[in-house]
Amino acid sequence: MASGDPLTDRVILWTRVTAPGAQSTHAEVAWVVARDPELKHVVASGTSTTDASRDWTVKVDADGLKPGRTYYYAFSAFGGKSLVGRTRTAPKGSPDSLRLAIVTCADYTQGLYNAYGRIAERDDIDAVVHLGDYIYEGGKQDKVRPAVPPVEVRTLDEYRGRYASQRLDANLAEMHRHHPMIWVWDDHETCDGTWRDGADPKNQDEAEDGPFSARKLAARQAALEWLPIRSPEPHNPERIYRSFSFGNLVDLIMLDTRRIGRDEQAAWHVDSFTQTGAFADPTRQILGETQEQWFFDSLRDSTAAWRIIGNQVMFSQYKFVGAPNATNASVYANPDQWDGYNPARDRVFDALEKHHVKDVVIVTGDVHAALAMEVTRDPNNPEAYDPATSRGAVAVEFVTPSISSAGDPEPESATAQTTPERMLASHQANAAANPNPHIKYLNTLNGYMILDINRERVKADYWLVPFVGRPTDQQDLDKSFVVPRGRATLMDASAFESSTNPDSAGK
């Protein structure tokens, strides 16, 4: 069972029925929503029908609810009853605060879902925001646990089987049972390196994998069956970009940088690239024209205190060699990220400037690492950006760690390569040689992020788990950053508390 896409008066409820026998052709499923976990004070109820054409899944848009309330729900069918789930509607008016768990990248084979389990245990979360790679399409059998089914998934039945096996994980099941989820896909819900009409040629070969159009359709159908998402445009199921308002505190804008509008990556399997040739083509899209305009309109029209952008791939620059934009001498690392679509990113900067949009926080997944960055158009130009004062930054970006996809750290040895964390520390110690002065934090352990939002600031807490190769209840708060209202700057949370409450200093 699961819930998702909370609005002020409704929420999606989800379950799947196990038919009692092969002769069953359909199932009548009853559902109930109540104010109490004993389900005595019922506020909504009904029935829904499902069958094999929907993989026996049920999605109900339970309406008539009150804003900003916790509710409890359950299902029954074929004489059996489900456990009781907990969900919450979005607030309206002027809420004081909002707390979101931000997650991504849950490769079932790479590790256990210890981080999901820690989120399930929390009772201080309004919703879980999932930035994609909820499943992985590969068929690995030699990692922490084997993929089910034991193949790279390509067909509808195989994608359905992957979701079904993954949802048996107790930590994931409990997180879904306790918190509503707002989800968007990234590439692995379909195939590694997915773009609008294809994928990484190493992972999508028509002779071996069949037509990409059929694979894409199968992946979409299974995802929409198995995840508690409300389609924002029912006649266009490919569209999943949508927005949510949490009163006048937060507008959450969820993008699709992967399937609906992305042009093909300008290069595959390159070690580095520069902003030349196809990379500099101003017509290339990562969102598509329709979504891009919707995004800019959403930014322009937002009147909330904060704009939180749910985004799959890193928006900020990540360079091997840093130089001012005008020199065109920067060397970039990953053409799959917004770095590979720089003209499209420039259009976002243009929209922010044109409409005077402030108080923007981008949350990102995909890279199997935790990062915190100040967002600036020209990070290596001292005339445009000062990393010491944050002058020139227009937003901040928090990249949430993977749930499991980073795997466990390799044992260090005398010949081990320098870790990313050590590289960042080295760069920060030598500012003149730092190609990424806007990056303030990096850690490659698995975990999740809590975004704690009020009218004065956004606080990002990075919670990390020590390993995913075996079960653990342990988690550690590794780092906390604060973004003060009206300033696109990253402050250490303790320094912010000291500056706003001098009496707390030294305590």
Short mmCIF file of all heavy atoms in Angstrom, two decimals, residues 120-151:
data_model
loop_
_atom_site.label_atom_id
_atom_site.label_comp_id
_atom_site.label_asym_id
_atom_site.label_seq_id
_atom_site.Cartn_x
_atom_site.Cartn_y
_atom_site.Cartn_z
N ALA A 120 10.95 5.75 7.22
CA ALA A 120 9.68 5.17 7.67
C ALA A 120 9.46 5.40 9.16
O ALA A 120 8.33 5.57 9.62
CB ALA A 120 9.63 3.69 7.34
N GLU A 121 10.55 5.40 9.93
CA GLU A 121 10.44 5.53 11.38
C GLU A 121 10.12 6.96 11.83
O GLU A 121 9.70 7.16 12.96
CB GLU A 121 11.76 5.10 12.03
CG GLU A 121 12.05 3.62 11.86
CD GLU A 121 13.49 3.27 12.20
OE1 GLU A 121 14.32 4.20 12.38
OE2 GLU A 121 13.79 2.07 12.27
N ARG A 122 10.30 7.93 10.95
CA ARG A 122 10.12 9.33 11.34
C ARG A 122 8.63 9.70 11.31
O ARG A 122 7.89 9.24 10.44
CB ARG A 122 10.90 10.25 10.39
CG ARG A 122 12.39 9.97 10.36
CD ARG A 122 13.12 10.96 9.48
NE ARG A 122 13.15 12.28 10.08
CZ ARG A 122 14.26 12.98 10.28
NH1 ARG A 122 15.44 12.50 9.95
NH2 ARG A 122 14.18 14.19 10.83
N ASP A 123 8.24 10.55 12.24
CA ASP A 123 6.86 11.04 12.25
C ASP A 123 6.82 12.55 12.07
O ASP A 123 5.82 13.19 12.39
CB ASP A 123 6.14 10.63 13.54
CG ASP A 123 6.82 11.18 14.80
OD1 ASP A 123 7.79 11.97 14.67
OD2 ASP A 123 6.37 10.83 15.91
N ASP A 124 7.92 13.12 11.54
CA ASP A 124 8.01 14.57 11.37
C ASP A 124 8.08 14.98 9.91
O ASP A 124 8.56 16.07 9.59
CB ASP A 124 9.25 15.11 12.11
CG ASP A 124 10.56 14.51 11.59
OD1 ASP A 124 10.51 13.51 10.83
OD2 ASP A 124 11.63 15.05 11.94
N ILE A 125 7.59 14.13 9.01
CA ILE A 125 7.70 14.37 7.57
C ILE A 125 6.32 14.59 6.97
O ILE A 125 5.38 13.83 7.25
CB ILE A 125 8.39 13.17 6.87
CG1 ILE A 125 9.83 13.02 7.35
CG2 ILE A 125 8.36 13.32 5.35
CD1 ILE A 125 10.49 11.74 6.90
N ASP A 126 6.20 15.62 6.14
CA ASP A 126 4.93 15.88 5.46
C ASP A 126 4.79 15.06 4.18
O ASP A 126 3.68 14.68 3.80
CB ASP A 126 4.81 17.37 5.13
CG ASP A 126 4.67 18.21 6.39
OD1 ASP A 126 3.59 18.18 6.99
OD2 ASP A 126 5.64 18.89 6.76
N ALA A 127 5.92 14.80 3.48
CA ALA A 127 5.89 14.01 2.25
C ALA A 127 7.31 13.58 1.91
O ALA A 127 8.29 14.20 2.35
CB ALA A 127 5.28 14.80 1.09
N VAL A 128 7.42 12.54 1.11
CA VAL A 128 8.69 12.08 0.55
C VAL A 128 8.72 12.49 -0.92
O VAL A 128 7.78 12.20 -1.67
CB VAL A 128 8.84 10.55 0.67
CG1 VAL A 128 10.12 10.08 -0.02
CG2 VAL A 128 8.82 10.13 2.14
N VAL A 129 9.78 13.17 -1.31
CA VAL A 129 9.96 13.56 -2.71
C VAL A 129 11.01 12.62 -3.32
O VAL A 129 12.16 12.60 -2.89
CB VAL A 129 10.41 15.02 -2.83
CG1 VAL A 129 10.72 15.38 -4.29
CG2 VAL A 129 9.34 15.96 -2.28
N HIS A 130 10.59 11.84 -4.32
CA HIS A 130 11.49 10.88 -4.98
C HIS A 130 11.87 11.42 -6.35
O HIS A 130 11.00 11.66 -7.20
CB HIS A 130 10.82 9.51 -5.12
CG HIS A 130 11.78 8.38 -5.29
ND1 HIS A 130 12.69 8.33 -6.33
CD2 HIS A 130 12.00 7.27 -4.54
CE1 HIS A 130 13.42 7.22 -6.22
NE2 HIS A 130 13.02 6.57 -5.14
N LEU A 131 13.17 11.60 -6.56
CA LEU A 131 13.67 12.24 -7.78
C LEU A 131 14.10 11.25 -8.84
O LEU A 131 14.80 11.62 -9.79
CB LEU A 131 14.83 13.18 -7.41
CG LEU A 131 14.41 14.33 -6.47
CD1 LEU A 131 15.63 15.08 -5.98
CD2 LEU A 131 13.43 15.27 -7.16
N GLY A 132 13.64 10.02 -8.74
CA GLY A 132 13.83 9.08 -9.83
C GLY A 132 14.85 7.99 -9.56
O GLY A 132 15.55 7.97 -8.55
N ASP A 133 14.90 7.03 -10.50
CA ASP A 133 15.65 5.79 -10.35
C ASP A 133 15.10 5.00 -9.16
O ASP A 133 15.83 4.47 -8.33
CB ASP A 133 17.16 6.04 -10.21
CG ASP A 133 17.77 6.57 -11.50
OD1 ASP A 133 17.11 6.49 -12.55
OD2 ASP A 133 18.91 7.07 -11.46
N TYR A 134 13.77 4.92 -9.13
CA TYR A 134 13.05 4.14 -8.12
C TYR A 134 13.34 2.66 -8.32
O TYR A 134 13.46 1.90 -7.35
CB TYR A 134 11.56 4.44 -8.26
CG TYR A 134 10.65 3.75 -7.29
CD1 TYR A 134 10.21 4.41 -6.14
CD2 TYR A 134 10.17 2.47 -7.53
CE1 TYR A 134 9.34 3.80 -5.26
CE2 TYR A 134 9.30 1.85 -6.64
CZ TYR A 134 8.89 2.51 -5.50
OH TYR A 134 8.04 1.90 -4.63
N ILE A 135 13.40 2.22 -9.57
CA ILE A 135 13.89 0.88 -9.92
C ILE A 135 15.07 1.03 -10.86
O ILE A 135 15.32 2.12 -11.42
CB ILE A 135 12.81 0.00 -10.58
CG1 ILE A 135 12.40 0.59 -11.95
CG2 ILE A 135 11.61 -0.20 -9.68
CD1 ILE A 135 11.65 -0.36 -12.85
N TYR A 136 15.79 -0.07 -11.06
CA TYR A 136 16.85 -0.15 -12.07
C TYR A 136 16.51 -1.30 -13.01
O TYR A 136 15.98 -2.33 -12.58
CB TYR A 136 18.21 -0.37 -11.42
CG TYR A 136 18.85 0.91 -10.91
CD1 TYR A 136 18.25 1.64 -9.89
CD2 TYR A 136 20.02 1.40 -11.47
CE1 TYR A 136 18.81 2.81 -9.43
CE2 TYR A 136 20.60 2.58 -11.00
CZ TYR A 136 19.98 3.28 -9.99
OH TYR A 136 20.53 4.45 -9.54
N GLU A 137 16.81 -1.09 -14.27
CA GLU A 137 16.38 -2.05 -15.28
C GLU A 137 17.30 -3.25 -15.43
O GLU A 137 16.94 -4.24 -16.06
CB GLU A 137 16.25 -1.33 -16.63
CG GLU A 137 17.56 -1.08 -17.39
CD GLU A 137 18.37 0.08 -16.88
OE1 GLU A 137 18.07 0.62 -15.79
OE2 GLU A 137 19.35 0.46 -17.55
N GLY A 138 18.52 -3.18 -14.87
CA GLY A 138 19.51 -4.23 -15.08
C GLY A 138 19.14 -5.55 -14.43
O GLY A 138 18.24 -5.64 -13.59
N GLY A 139 19.89 -6.60 -14.77
CA GLY A 139 19.60 -7.93 -14.27
C GLY A 139 20.71 -8.55 -13.45
O GLY A 139 20.88 -9.77 -13.45
N LYS A 140 21.45 -7.74 -12.70
CA LYS A 140 22.60 -8.23 -11.94
C LYS A 140 22.19 -9.32 -10.95
O LYS A 140 21.17 -9.24 -10.28
CB LYS A 140 23.26 -7.08 -11.18
CG LYS A 140 23.92 -6.03 -12.07
CD LYS A 140 24.47 -4.90 -11.23
CE LYS A 140 25.06 -3.81 -12.11
NZ LYS A 140 25.53 -2.65 -11.31
N GLN A 141 23.03 -10.34 -10.86
CA GLN A 141 22.78 -11.45 -9.93
C GLN A 141 23.92 -11.61 -8.93
O GLN A 141 23.83 -12.45 -8.03
CB GLN A 141 22.62 -12.76 -10.71
CG GLN A 141 21.48 -12.76 -11.70
CD GLN A 141 20.12 -12.71 -11.02
OE1 GLN A 141 19.76 -13.62 -10.29
NE2 GLN A 141 19.38 -11.63 -11.23
N ASP A 142 24.98 -10.82 -9.05
CA ASP A 142 26.20 -11.07 -8.28
C ASP A 142 26.51 -9.96 -7.28
O ASP A 142 27.64 -9.84 -6.82
CB ASP A 142 27.38 -11.24 -9.22
CG ASP A 142 27.60 -10.01 -10.11
OD1 ASP A 142 26.71 -9.16 -10.19
OD2 ASP A 142 28.70 -9.91 -10.71
N LYS A 143 25.52 -9.16 -6.93
CA LYS A 143 25.76 -8.07 -5.99
C LYS A 143 25.16 -8.43 -4.62
O LYS A 143 25.12 -9.59 -4.24
CB LYS A 143 25.16 -6.77 -6.54
CG LYS A 143 25.82 -6.32 -7.85
CD LYS A 143 27.28 -5.95 -7.66
CE LYS A 143 27.91 -5.45 -8.93
NZ LYS A 143 29.33 -5.09 -8.76
N VAL A 144 24.68 -7.44 -3.90
CA VAL A 144 24.17 -7.67 -2.54
C VAL A 144 22.96 -8.60 -2.56
O VAL A 144 22.80 -9.48 -1.71
CB VAL A 144 23.83 -6.33 -1.87
CG1 VAL A 144 23.16 -6.54 -0.52
CG2 VAL A 144 25.10 -5.49 -1.70
N ARG A 145 22.07 -8.41 -3.55
CA ARG A 145 20.91 -9.29 -3.71
C ARG A 145 20.56 -9.32 -5.19
O ARG A 145 20.78 -8.33 -5.91
CB ARG A 145 19.73 -8.83 -2.85
CG ARG A 145 19.40 -7.35 -2.94
CD ARG A 145 18.33 -6.97 -1.95
NE ARG A 145 18.06 -5.54 -1.96
CZ ARG A 145 17.10 -4.95 -1.25
NH1 ARG A 145 16.28 -5.68 -0.51
NH2 ARG A 145 16.93 -3.64 -1.29
N PRO A 146 20.03 -10.42 -5.67
CA PRO A 146 19.83 -10.58 -7.11
C PRO A 146 18.62 -9.80 -7.62
O PRO A 146 17.62 -9.64 -6.91
CB PRO A 146 19.61 -12.08 -7.28
CG PRO A 146 19.04 -12.52 -5.97
CD PRO A 146 19.70 -11.66 -4.93
N ALA A 147 18.72 -9.33 -8.84
CA ALA A 147 17.59 -8.69 -9.49
C ALA A 147 16.50 -9.72 -9.78
O ALA A 147 16.78 -10.86 -10.13
CB ALA A 147 18.03 -8.03 -10.79
N VAL A 148 15.25 -9.29 -9.63
CA VAL A 148 14.08 -10.13 -9.94
C VAL A 148 13.17 -9.33 -10.87
O VAL A 148 12.80 -8.20 -10.53
CB VAL A 148 13.33 -10.53 -8.66
CG1 VAL A 148 12.14 -11.42 -9.01
CG2 VAL A 148 14.26 -11.24 -7.68
N PRO A 149 12.83 -9.89 -12.04
CA PRO A 149 13.32 -11.12 -12.64
C PRO A 149 14.80 -11.03 -12.98
O PRO A 149 15.35 -9.93 -13.07
CB PRO A 149 12.45 -11.26 -13.91
CG PRO A 149 12.05 -9.86 -14.24
CD PRO A 149 11.88 -9.17 -12.94
N PRO A 150 15.48 -12.16 -13.22
CA PRO A 150 16.94 -12.17 -13.37
C PRO A 150 17.40 -11.80 -14.78
O PRO A 150 18.27 -12.45 -15.35
CB PRO A 150 17.29 -13.62 -13.02
CG PRO A 150 16.12 -14.40 -13.49
CD PRO A 150 14.92 -13.53 -13.20
N VAL A 151 16.83 -10.74 -15.32
CA VAL A 151 17.15 -10.30 -16.68
C VAL A 151 17.11 -8.78 -16.71
O VAL A 151 16.55 -8.14 -15.81
CB VAL A 151 16.13 -10.85 -17.71
CG1 VAL A 151 16.18 -12.36 -17.79
CG2 VAL A 151 14.72 -10.36 -17.39
#
